[in-house]
Amino acid sequence: SQQGEEDPQALSIQEGENATMNCSYKTSINNLQWYRQNSGRGLVHLILIRSNEREKHSGRLRVTLDTSKKSSSLLITASRAADTASYFCATDNQAGTALIFGKGTTLSVSS
Amino acid sequence: EPEVTQTPSHQVTQMGQEVILRCVPISNHLYFYWYRQILGQKVEFLVSFYNNEISEKSEIFDDQFSVERPDGSNFTLKIRSTKLEDSAMYFCASSEGEGRTGNTIYFGEGSWLTVV
C-alpha cells in the first residue's frame, strides 16, 4: 500500500540548528503533505506540495519533493524549542480520497 | 482561522458500550474523514465521507463502526460494542475538495477514547 515513511525516527538538536526530516513513499502521488503533532494534541497542517512542484517554502519551513526518487524532505531552519513535536508526511491513497501517514519523526529541540 | 472541532475531548467507556464521537467540520468543506491513532503508533485512516455517503473505508472500519451526518454541521462516528483495542485518539478531518486535487485536509484536536 502507498505509505510515507519518515527518517530518522527521532532527531535531537540544539536551538538554532536546522532539522531535516525525510519521507519516502512507494507509489505515484498527487500531493504530499507534512503535519506536526505536539504530544497528545491534534495534527497541524504545515505544508502541501503537489507532484509537479519540486520545492516549497513557508516561513522557516522548506519542503522538497523528488518524484523520481519517491521522496520528500522537510527542513526546519533556525529551530526553536517550540518546534519540539512529531512530524509526519502523508500521501494520497490511490483513489485520492484519504491520506496515508508515515510513522513520523520525533524532533526534540533543546535550549 | 476556521477549525475542525471535536467533542468530547476525552471519554472513558466500559467495554461493550456504544460511543458516539462528534465533529463539526469547517463550514464550507464537503469532504469529511475519521482517523485514529493508537497511543505511540501512526495515524490510521478509517473512513472518508462525501455527499452523504461513505466514499472509502479502511479494513479497520468494520461493522462495529458507522458514520453519519445528522444535520448540516455535525459529523459523527459511532462505535458499537467497544473493545479494549478501540482505545485510541480519534481525529475528525475535513477538506474543501478531494485530496487528489491538492486540497489541504484539516484535522481537529481529537477525542481520546479509553475503553476499560
Side-chain angles (χ1 to χ4, degrees), chain A:
Chain A
S1 64
Q2 188 165 288
Q3 186 176 42
E5 293 293 343
E6 292 87 346
D7 169 60
Q9 290 188 352
L11 181 61
S12 293
I13 59 174
Q14 297 283 322
E15 259 190 332
E17 293 181 338
N18 295 341
T20 300
M21 290 159 268
N22 302 297
C23 167
S24 60
Y25 55 91
K26 295 178 182 176
T27 60
S28 62
I29 60 170
N30 297 299
N31 312 286
L32 185 144
Q33 305 191 43
W34 283 92
Y35 287 84
R36 184 186 75 226
Q37 183 182 35
N38 289 67
S39 182
R41 301 294 301 276
L43 295 157
V44 175
H45 182 261
L46 296 176
I47 200 162
L48 180 151
I49 187 164
R50 298 171 190 263
S51 59
N52 61 353
E53 297 176 310
R54 292 295 168 259
E55 188 171 310
K56 206 162 180 181
H57 296 255
S58 176
R60 293 184 296 113
L61 305 180
R62 173 178 167 249
V63 167
T64 62
L65 179 64
D66 186 336
T67 52
S68 67
K69 295 181 180 178
K70 293 186 171 59
S71 68
S72 174
S73 68
L74 170 67
L75 168 68
I76 304 174
T77 60
S79 62
R80 306 166 183 168
D83 295 328
T84 294
S86 292
Y87 292 82
F88 298 90
C89 70
T91 54
D92 293 354
N93 65 354
Q94 288 188 341
T97 53
L99 291 176
I100 307 298
F101 284 83
K103 294 180 181 178
T105 292
T106 301
L107 173 66
S108 178
V109 182
S110 53
S111 54

Side-chain angles (χ1 to χ4, degrees), chain A residues 3 5 30-31 33 35 37 40-43 45 48 50 88 92-93 95-103, chain B residues 33 35 37 41-45 48 55-56 89 91 98-110 112:
Chain A
Q3 186 176 42
E5 293 293 343
N30 297 299
N31 312 286
Q33 305 191 43
Y35 287 84
Q37 183 182 35
R41 301 294 301 276
L43 295 157
H45 182 261
L48 180 151
R50 298 171 190 263
F88 298 90
D92 293 354
N93 65 354
T97 53
L99 291 176
I100 307 298
F101 284 83
K103 294 180 181 178
Chain B
Y33 315 85
Y35 288 76
Q37 185 180 32
Q41 298 188 24
K42 63 180 179 180
V43 177
E44 300 174 292
F45 168 70
S48 58
S55 48
E56 185 154 358
M89 176 79 99
F91 293 107
E98 264 191 317
R100 82 179 90 196
T101 56
N103 287 275
T104 298
I105 298 179
Y106 294 91
F107 285 77
E109 283 289 316
W112 270 111

Side-chain angles (χ1 to χ4, degrees), chain B residues 12-28:
Chain B
V12 180
T13 190
Q14 296 227 324
M15 195 166 50
Q17 295 296 304
E18 177 181 282
V19 165
I20 296 176
L21 305 178
R22 292 181 168 80
C23 169
V24 180
I26 295 172
S27 62
N28 64 330

Side-chain angles (χ1 to χ4, degrees), chain B residues 38-52:
Chain B
I38 295 171
L39 187 63
Q41 298 188 24
K42 63 180 179 180
V43 177
E44 300 174 292
F45 168 70
L46 293 178
V47 65
S48 58
F49 190 88
Y50 168 71
N51 200 26
N52 284 319

